[in-house]
Structure formats: C-alpha cells, structure tokens
Amino acid sequence: MLCDMCGSSGSMFKAEVEGAVLTVCQNCSRFGKILGAVKQHEVEKIRQKKAEEKPEAMDIIVDNYAEKIRKGREELGLTQKDFAKKLNEKESLIHQLESGNFHPNIELAKKLQKALGIKLIEEYEEKHEELRHEKAEGFTIGDFIKTKNK
Ligand SMILES: [Zn+2]
C-alpha cells in the first residue's frame, strides 16, 4: 500500500485533501483532514481494484500463420482437401489461409491450433500503453498540489 501523495509505504490513513479522499501516510495526512486509519481488508479491496484496471493482454494471430498452417498440415500428411474435411471447413478456406489471403479469427485459429498441434495465437501487450499508464500513476496528488501552487 503506497501513499497517494508521496508514494511511501507503511501504515496508511484515509484523509480528505482538497475535497478528495486519499490514502496517505502519516506524514502526508497533515495536509488534510484525517478520516480514519485504512484497514487491511480495505487495502486488499484497493489492490484488487488496481489489478482489475490493468489492461488485459490481447490475443493475436501470429504473422506467419499461413506458413505455419501449411507446414503443420504437411506434417500430418494431409492435402488441403483432407484437412478441410477434418476441420469441417471448405477447401477454399484452407487455400486462402495458407496463401495468407484470409486472416483467421481467434475461434478459427484455436481450431487450427488444436488440429495441427501448432501455436497460432500469442498474447500481445500494448507496451506503449502500459508505459503511459505507469507514468500517469507516478504523478501523485502531491505533485499535482505542488504544480498547482507554483
Ligand atoms: Zn505520504
């Protein structure tokens, strides 16, 4: 649990600072009106809420899906026609997939993965987004007050 104002850890208090209820350390609580100590179960709740806010990783189809599907199929010794039959899909779909003209959706990719024993889906995290979020969180209310008072 970190102080909303200075970012230090330790026992926390709920305090009203400039109309906002913040979780602050003992040192920073003097800037506002103390409403009470933060209880452990509340800390847990806040931690859970923060975890939920974390952007979820997206599933994306690998770039070389066409090559992977073709290789996987060939390893099984199946023709496009046989493979289509096995998947209960159209032969033209397999052809499109293997020539890279048809980008499979996650559902189809999962089906192909299972049938071929290959990996077509990978987790993709928006790195830039995350960095931006971290920076925003690093800007504490304390900074805000300092900036405002300039
Ligand atoms: Zn503090």
Side-chain angles (χ1 to χ4, degrees), residues 1-2 4 10-15 21-25 34-47:
M1 192 66 220
L2 299 175
D4 281 340
S11 44
M12 292 296 148
F13 298 88
K14 265 203 157 67
V21 176
L22 303 175
T23 305
V24 294
C25 67
I34 295 181
L35 302 172
V38 175
K39 294 181 195 89
Q40 193 53 42
H41 74 271
E42 283 177 17
V43 172
E44 279 304 313
K45 227 189 271 170
I46 292 164
R47 197 179 291 153

Side-chain angles (χ1 to χ4, degrees), residues 80-92:
Q80 287 188 349
K81 195 178 171 184
D82 291 338
F83 185 46
K85 223 173 176 180
K86 188 176 148 79
L87 285 179
N88 204 18
E89 298 284 356
K90 283 187 185 134
E91 188 185 341
S92 60

